[in-house]
Amino acid sequence: MKRLLFFVLILLNIQFLSAQKTDNDEIYLQKLYKYTNSNNDSIFYYSNKLKKSENECNRYRALNFEAKALYQTDKCVESEEKCLTILKELNNTDVKCLKLNKLTALNRLFWIYKNKTDYNKAFEIAIRRKKLTETLGKKNAIYNASILGDYNNIAIIKDCMGFYTESRKILKESYAKLPEIYFNLSKTDYYKNPNQSEYFLKLNQSSTLNLIAESYLNSSADYTSKDLDSASIYFKKAYNVAKTFNPPHKNSETLYQIREVEVLIAKKKFKNALELIQKFNSNSKEFKTEQNINSLKAICFYNLNNTDSTLIYGKKYLLCYNENPKSKKRLHVIYDILANQYYKNNQKDSAYKYSELTIKELNFITDNKNATNKLHYLYDFNNTKELNETIKNTNKKNKYTFIFYSFVLLIIAIIIIYYFYKKNRKTKIELAKINIEVKDKPITPKKEYNINEELEETVLNGLIDLENSKDFLKPTFNINVLTKKLNTNTTYLSYIINKTKNKTFKNYITELRIEYLIKLLAENKDYRKYTIKYLAEEIGYTNASAFTRAFKKYKGVTPSEFIKTLK
């Protein structure tokens, strides 16, 4: 009897300790959720506690939280290694909670590669994560939340590749679905209390609104200033959501102000941008925005012709980047600014050094984008193929139904045709009567439209003069300038260029500019050392990206690739 009582007590003690450990796990997870975006030291502390859990899923959750804290403290290499370790160890698992840990690790890797502008790797990770999500099985609240994140990641890469409209469409659809998804997640007890669910809903709403705003900001160079106004509106919406966070984020206002500075810079309001930077400059170290501010200051000072400050903040940015290369977002921009500034200062060696770095970085981005575009195409192609296979199989199953409905539609069509045949016959009889009445009336011949030969000759001579001049190299040169000079209008001018040159006015001017540059590069080797931005400005382009696209469309290669062939 005593032995039996002894064993019962031991069993009860084991159950008590097990329950206590489970309770501890819940406490640690609650703390990790609480501090996930506000206190990295607390994340490291409670992650270490949770790593001792007997629950395998909780141990990997602790590792994922640790990877996030490393990422947030700019230790991206360590964060990447930890994520890769999680994926390697969980490679062949079919346990659902471990798959969720894999999804979290893949998401962290996506952001690491995206911020390094390694879009090809980021896109591969996004597709890999989507395929893993599809293995979760039942399409429940967790599946819906995960697949929404996958599409958001794909939208982010689409934006990087220049598919701005596609990207925003996905993100706006995603934003509309967020409330329902987080409501359903809270019902599954995914978040342990309603406050957590509400907090992460607002966090994702703010993040998605910021992504939409960034897409408008990125596309503003290719479209209109309306995109910049839209960017400002969405940044403001994101900030208004961020102000309701519980717990609050201390850096919300600062991050919003930085985004507004980016909009002001895009609008070329550099003085206003600098004034706004000064308001939040003091907390840059606390909120880890110092690197971002250095790059923005360098851009502003360069455009305001402040040589010393341009070099100071450009060098500060590179120094921080070399010590901790977390993000390459503006690396090529800073290289380009320094190259141009040193060239203006007549310091040719330094100008050449940074020009080489600019070209190298642009080549990396271009090659990366080309590889991603190929992967993007294959992904879309495979998705289309899978969809068509599904349609094909469905058609086989519904073959007889299709034949039945086709037969019904055929009968209806015959009835409709017969009805209109009778109606049409009646109309023809009435028209025949009308024709008898008007057959003797004379028909007024149509006038043909012709351009005066003298005017055409004047325009053609004007085009010859234009080709012999350098007027087409001016940034302000456009079709209106030329029509005013030739005393004609845009319709006549466009018609004559189409007729005689077999091309549009835009293509005609683009070819004149690029052929002029090609001649310069062939005759003067010094031009081969200049930055892409400088070469663009030489032939009337105010935007280096637009120049690169136009050059590649005309020559089939980028300017930097063309210069290499000359070397």
Side-chain angles (χ1 to χ4, degrees):
M1 187 69 183
K2 286 182 180 179
R3 284 184 179 182
L4 179 62
L5 183 63
F6 176 72
F7 283 121
V8 168
L9 287 171
I10 289 175
L11 185 62
L12 287 170
N13 191 44
I14 289 169
Q15 287 178 336
F16 172 76
L17 290 172
S18 177
Q20 190 177 34
K21 285 179 180 178
T22 303
D23 289 343
N24 284 340
D25 280 8
E26 292 300 317
I27 291 167
Y28 299 148
L29 282 168
Q30 291 279 0
K31 294 290 186 183
L32 285 166
Y33 278 123
K34 180 181 178 180
Y35 295 118
T36 184
N37 290 296
S38 58
N39 191 321
N40 291 311
D41 290 336
S42 295
I43 295 175
F44 285 125
Y45 176 78
Y46 289 109
S47 291
N48 283 327
K49 294 277 188 185
L50 191 61
K51 278 194 288 188
K52 297 170 186 175
S53 171
E54 292 179 357
N55 183 308
E56 188 181 21
C57 287
N58 285 341
R59 290 201 302 275
Y60 280 105
R61 287 172 93 174
L63 291 172
N64 268 315
F65 273 108
E66 206 167 59
K68 183 173 185 178
L70 287 167
Y71 176 78
Q72 291 177 165
T73 51
D74 297 335
K75 295 177 181 176
C76 291
V77 176
E78 293 94 324
S79 179
E80 181 183 355
E81 287 172 354
K82 196 164 285 290
C83 290
L84 291 171
T85 300
I86 292 168
L87 294 171
K88 186 178 178 181
E89 290 178 6
L90 299 180
N91 186 35
N92 296 316
T93 185
D94 283 323
V95 180
K96 187 174 180 179
C97 71
L98 294 177
K99 281 185 179 180
L100 294 176
N101 275 299
K102 283 176 71 176
L103 289 170
T104 304
L106 285 167
N107 198 55
R108 180 65 44 216
L109 280 178
F110 170 83
W111 282 102
I112 291 169
Y113 295 139
K114 185 263 177 185
N115 287 336
K116 290 199 293 187
T117 66
D118 198 340
Y119 303 129
N120 196 37
K121 275 190 179 179
F123 193 68
E124 285 177 346
I125 290 293
I127 301 307
R128 184 177 165 189
R129 190 181 189 276
K130 184 173 176 291
K131 286 179 179 177
L132 179 61
T133 299
E134 288 164 355
T135 68
L136 291 178
K138 188 179 177 183
K139 294 184 179 180
N140 53 19
I142 293 172
Y143 170 87
N144 290 333
S146 184
I147 204 74
L148 198 69
D150 297 331
Y151 280 116
N152 277 6
N153 289 347
I154 290 167
I156 289 163
I157 296 299
K158 279 179 180 285
D159 188 77
C160 294
M161 307 319 305
F163 305 121
Y164 305 116
T165 307
E166 285 181 48
S167 174
R168 289 196 290 270
K169 184 175 182 292
I170 295 169
L171 291 169
K172 286 177 182 179
E173 288 173 356
S174 168
Y175 180 77
K177 293 174 184 174
L178 284 171
E180 182 186 354
I181 280 176
Y182 275 87
F183 174 75
N184 289 331
L185 275 176
S186 62
K187 283 168 67 178
T188 63
D189 206 29
Y190 184 81
Y191 295 114
K192 300 303 176 185
N193 63 61
N195 289 337
Q196 279 182 349
S197 179
E198 185 183 354
Y199 169 71
F200 282 101
L201 165 62
K202 289 180 178 179
L203 192 67
N204 275 279
Q205 284 179 322
S206 178
S207 173
T208 306
L209 288 167
N210 276 322
L211 289 172
I212 295 168
E214 284 169 12
S215 179
Y216 276 115
L217 183 62
N218 294 336
S219 68
S220 62
D222 294 328
Y223 296 103
T224 64
S225 59
K226 287 182 181 178
D227 288 336
L228 292 175
D229 295 334
S230 297
S232 232
I233 289 165
Y234 277 96
F235 279 139
K236 183 70 174 177
K237 284 182 179 179
Y239 175 52
N240 287 336
V241 175
K243 285 193 287 187
T244 65
F245 287 169
N246 184 21
H249 290 189
K250 293 179 182 178
N251 62 351
S252 293
E253 185 180 6
T254 298
L255 294 177
Y256 167 64
Q257 299 284 20
I258 287 176
R259 288 166 179 137
E260 277 302 301
V261 167
E262 290 177 1
V263 174
L264 288 170
I265 287 173
K267 289 182 175 180
K268 302 191 184 302
K269 296 181 179 180
F270 303 108
K271 284 186 179 178
N272 294 352
L274 273 176
E275 287 170 7
L276 190 53
I277 288 172
Q278 297 308 325
K279 290 182 181 179
F280 55 83
N281 199 37
S282 57
N283 59 23
S284 60
K285 285 188 178 179
E286 180 188 354
F287 296 149
K288 299 185 183 298
T289 56
E290 190 174 19
Q291 181 68 329
N292 210 347
I293 289 171
N294 286 337
S295 65
L296 294 172
K297 281 186 175 180
I299 293 166
C300 289
F301 283 123
Y302 174 74
N303 284 282
L304 293 170
N305 296 316
N306 187 327
T307 303
D308 293 339
S309 295
T310 299
L311 296 176
I312 287 168
Y313 287 103
K315 292 288 188 66
K316 275 188 176 182
Y317 174 88
L318 292 181
L319 182 65
C320 291
Y321 176 78
N322 291 332
E323 288 175 355
N324 186 14
K326 180 182 179 181
S327 175
K328 296 174 76 174
K329 182 179 178 182
R330 295 197 185 92
L331 183 61
H332 70 283
V333 176
I334 300 302
Y335 282 151
D336 189 37
I337 283 173
L338 291 173
N340 281 282
Q341 190 61 68
Y342 279 120
Y343 181 76
K344 286 180 182 178
N345 295 355
N346 206 28
Q347 294 173 266
K348 297 291 175 68
D349 289 342
S350 295
Y352 181 72
K353 170 190 168 184
Y354 286 107
S355 288
E356 285 287 296
L357 289 169
T358 305
I359 291 168
K360 183 181 176 183
E361 190 58 30
L362 285 172
N363 283 340
F364 170 79
I365 293 170
T366 302
D367 293 344
N368 204 276
K369 283 188 176 184
N370 288 339
T372 312
N373 264 322
K374 184 178 178 183
L375 189 62
H376 177 270
Y377 164 76
L378 289 172
Y379 167 69
D380 283 350
F381 174 78
N382 289 332
N383 274 3
T384 306
K385 195 176 174 184
E386 284 175 21
L387 179 63
N388 278 284
E389 284 296 327
T390 305
I391 292 166
K392 206 164 81 176
N393 292 333
T394 306
N395 283 345
K396 283 179 183 177
K397 290 177 184 177
N398 297 300
K399 184 179 176 182
Y400 295 110
T401 307
F402 174 76
I403 291 169
F404 171 76
Y405 282 113
S406 296
F407 180 73
V408 172
L409 287 171
L410 182 62
I411 298 297
I412 294 168
I414 290 168
I415 293 166
I416 291 168
I417 289 165
Y418 180 72
Y419 167 77
F420 280 107
Y421 167 75
K422 287 188 73 176
K423 189 175 180 181
N424 191 38
R425 190 178 174 192
K426 187 180 177 183
T427 306
K428 279 182 179 179
I429 292 165
E430 289 173 358
L431 284 173
K433 289 177 183 177
I434 295 167
N435 285 336
I436 290 166
E437 294 172 9
V438 298
K439 66 179 180 178
D440 295 325
K441 289 186 179 179
I443 298 169
T444 306
K446 260 189 177 181
K447 286 186 179 179
E448 289 192 2
Y449 175 74
N450 286 306
I451 291 179
N452 184 283
E453 287 183 9
E454 190 179 335
L455 173 61
E456 185 171 340
E457 191 176 343
T458 303
V459 171
L460 289 173
N461 288 332
L463 294 178
I464 292 167
D465 292 338
L466 174 69
E467 290 168 13
N468 292 329
S469 72
K470 293 184 181 178
D471 289 349
F472 58 83
L473 300 177
K474 296 175 183 176
T476 54
F477 182 82
N478 57 38
I479 194 167
N480 294 319
V481 172
L482 188 55
T483 51
K484 191 174 179 182
K485 187 175 180 180
L486 299 177
N487 196 25
T488 181
N489 60 54
T490 55
T491 306
Y492 283 2
L493 182 59
S494 296
Y495 176 80
I496 292 168
I497 290 173
N498 267 300
K499 178 184 171 185
T500 58
K501 307 287 183 184
N502 198 27
K503 61 191 72 167
T504 63
F505 174 81
K506 185 180 177 183
N507 289 341
Y508 171 60
I509 298 304
T510 299
E511 289 182 19
L512 286 180
R513 286 175 167 178
I514 292 173
E515 285 297 336
Y516 177 84
L517 177 62
I518 288 169
K519 188 178 178 184
L520 274 182
L521 291 167
E523 293 174 355
N524 190 338
K525 292 183 180 180
D526 287 342
Y527 275 89
R528 302 173 195 175
K529 300 175 185 178
Y530 298 155
T531 64
I532 301 301
K533 185 180 177 184
Y534 179 84
L535 294 176
E537 289 173 353
E538 275 289 290
I539 60 170
Y541 284 89
T542 55
N543 183 289
S545 298
F547 160 66
T548 301
R549 284 195 300 275
F551 193 97
K552 187 170 183 181
K553 187 176 179 181
Y554 179 59
K555 294 296 292 180
V557 292
T558 63
S560 52
E561 288 168 345
F562 180 79
I563 290 167
K564 280 183 181 178
T565 64
L566 295 177
K567 289 179 182 179

